[in-house]
Structures are given as C-alpha cells and as structure tokens.
Amino acid sequence: GENVEQHPSTLSVQEGDSAVIKCTYSDSASNYFPWYKQELGKGPQLIIDIRSNVGEKKDQRIAVTLNKTAKHFSLHITETQPEDSAVYFCAASISSSNTGKLIFGQGTTLQVKP
Amino acid sequence: KAGVTQTPRYLIKTRGQQVTLSCSPISGHRSVSWYQQTPGQGLQFLFEYFSETQRNKGNFPGRFSGRQFSNSRSEMNVSTLELGDSALYLCASSLRISYNEQFFGPGTRLTVL
C-alpha cells in the first residue's frame, strides 16, 4: 500500500549549519509533496510543497528537491536557527478530483544548538 | 483570515464513552480532513469531506465517524472509546478536495482513561 519513509528520525545541528531530511514514497502516482513543521502543542504548519512537474522549489532558507525516478524528495534548511527546532513531517498525496489524502512520514525531530 | 479552529482543545473520557470533536475550516475552504496523531503510529488519515459528502476513509474501525455541514464545519465522533484512542486529533482544511494545500488546526488532545 501507500507508504512514506522518512530519515533520519532525529537530527542535531549547530546554529548556522544546514539540515537535510529525506523521504521516499512508494506510490508512483503520487504527485504532491508537502512538508510540515510541528512545534510543541501546535498543529502541523505547512512550510513548503512541491508538485511532480517541478524538480526543485526554494523559499528563503528552505528548499525541497524531488526525484521522481527514484521516488524520493528532500527538505533542505540552510543557515539553521534555534527557532527551526521542531518536528518536521514529509507527506505524499495523489492529487485528484476525488481525494486530497496525505500519507505522512514518521517525522524528524530537528534540534538546532545555539 | 482566521485559521482552522478545533474545539475542545482537551478532552478526558473513560472507556466505553463516546466523544464528538468539532472543526471549523478556514473561511472559504470547503474540504475538511481528519487525522489521528499518536507517538507510535504517527499521523494517520481518518477521513475527508467535501460538500457534505465523505470522499475517502482511512483504515479505522466503524467506531470512528464524521460528518460535514452545509457551512463546511465538520464533526467527528468516536463511540465506545478504547484506551488506544488516546491521541491528538487534527483537522485540516483546503479550498477544495483536489487542491492539495491543507492547513491544520491546533488539534484536540483526547485522553481515554
């Protein structure tokens, strides 16, 4: 069935370093890939997304890359700051007129040390 | 523009009881999805609604049900609560079912004793 694998489960970096989180999806029909940031006591916040017709997307310090052939996508955070510390989730979805269901990875706890 | 709101934020119930959770989507959004979040299983899809119709359902027992009203607000119900139903229940809204950008509310923390 549909599955999204996310690695690593925990990631610790020094402030100013880069962080990379990787996800692999199983369903080749997936065509929408969002990333969410969840802080303690809050719901997931959409931070960036990419569709299958695009290989890379960037928004300030955050970028996402997609390799459809290998069925994996990655989140890149540059110049990390302590406020980037949170749990990050990747997800995959098959965009259609009938569903927007998201399949989530297991999450990565990112710690940015000052 | 106000975000997704969920009520109540916290709930404590005992086994065998039932519970109803409420979600108000972002104004203008017509699709609502529900997810269960637990430390062991992560974020799992429960169901999604559009135009008052359930369009998709996840692999949860029939004790989990939901509905959507004409104003797009949604409720989910869990009957005969079990200890394993303790979780954060998240609601997400999007413009329409095929418009994938989903925005989550803060969730309802359900504890079953």
Side-chain angles (χ1 to χ4, degrees):
Chain A
E2 305 151 317
N3 188 47
V4 175
E5 296 287 336
Q6 182 172 346
H7 299 280
S9 56
T10 60
L11 180 59
S12 182
V13 300
Q14 288 294 136
E15 182 177 0
D17 287 351
S18 295
V20 180
I21 303 171
K22 299 181 179 182
C23 289
T24 303
Y25 59 97
S26 61
D27 194 330
S28 57
S30 297
N31 55 12
Y32 174 68
F33 308 91
W35 285 88
Y36 287 86
K37 174 184 180 182
Q38 187 174 27
E39 297 174 311
L40 204 60
K42 297 183 178 180
Q45 174 195 1
L46 178 64
I47 56 172
I48 195 167
D49 57 11
I50 192 168
R51 298 183 188 272
S52 59
N53 58 347
V54 176
E56 183 174 0
K57 184 177 178 180
K58 191 173 181 180
D59 182 5
Q60 299 183 339
R61 297 186 296 107
I62 294 173
V64 57
T65 58
L66 171 65
N67 183 327
K68 287 189 296 183
T69 303
K71 290 192 285 186
H72 67 69
F73 56 112
S74 301
L75 177 71
H76 304 252
I77 306 174
T78 58
E79 301 171 20
T80 54
Q81 301 166 4
E83 50 265 39
D84 293 331
S85 296
V87 181
Y88 291 81
F89 292 95
C90 63
S93 177
I94 301 171
S95 174
S96 77
S97 60
N98 295 319
T99 183
K101 170 184 174 183
L102 295 173
I103 305 298
F104 283 89
Q106 287 296 102
T108 296
T109 301
L110 173 64
Q111 181 187 30
V112 180
K113 299 177 183 176
Chain B
K1 192 181 258 190
V4 178
T5 57
Q6 292 187 245
T7 55
R9 292 292 313 276
Y10 303 91
L11 210 47
I12 300 175
K13 293 286 186 179
T14 56
R15 281 179 298 173
Q17 287 187 310
Q18 74 163 19
V19 66
T20 299
L21 312 181
S22 180
C23 171
S24 293
I26 293 170
S27 177
H29 284 199
R30 297 173 59 197
S31 181
V32 172
S33 298
W34 289 88
Y35 295 82
Q36 181 196 64
Q37 185 174 27
T38 60
Q41 299 299 316
L43 279 151
Q44 291 188 291
F45 171 78
L46 277 159
F47 24 63
E48 67 186 335
Y49 289 87
F50 179 73
S51 293
E52 302 176 64
T53 302
Q54 186 180 93
R55 299 303 179 110
N56 203 350
K57 190 177 191 301
N59 295 324
F60 281 83
R63 299 184 297 106
F64 291 80
S65 63
R67 59 179 175 169
Q68 186 181 35
F69 302 96
S70 59
N71 62 358
S72 295
R73 192 177 68 84
S74 177
E75 288 181 347
M76 69 162 280
N77 184 78
V78 187
S79 62
T80 319
L81 284 166
E82 300 178 359
L83 296 179
D85 296 334
S86 294
L88 181 67
Y89 290 89
L90 293 158
C91 166
S93 79
S94 61
L95 274 173
R96 52 188 180 274
I97 201 162
S98 60
Y99 195 85
N100 298 96
E101 287 184 338
Q102 294 186 28
F103 300 91
F104 283 84
T108 294
R109 172 73 63 185
L110 172 65
T111 302
V112 182
L113 303 176

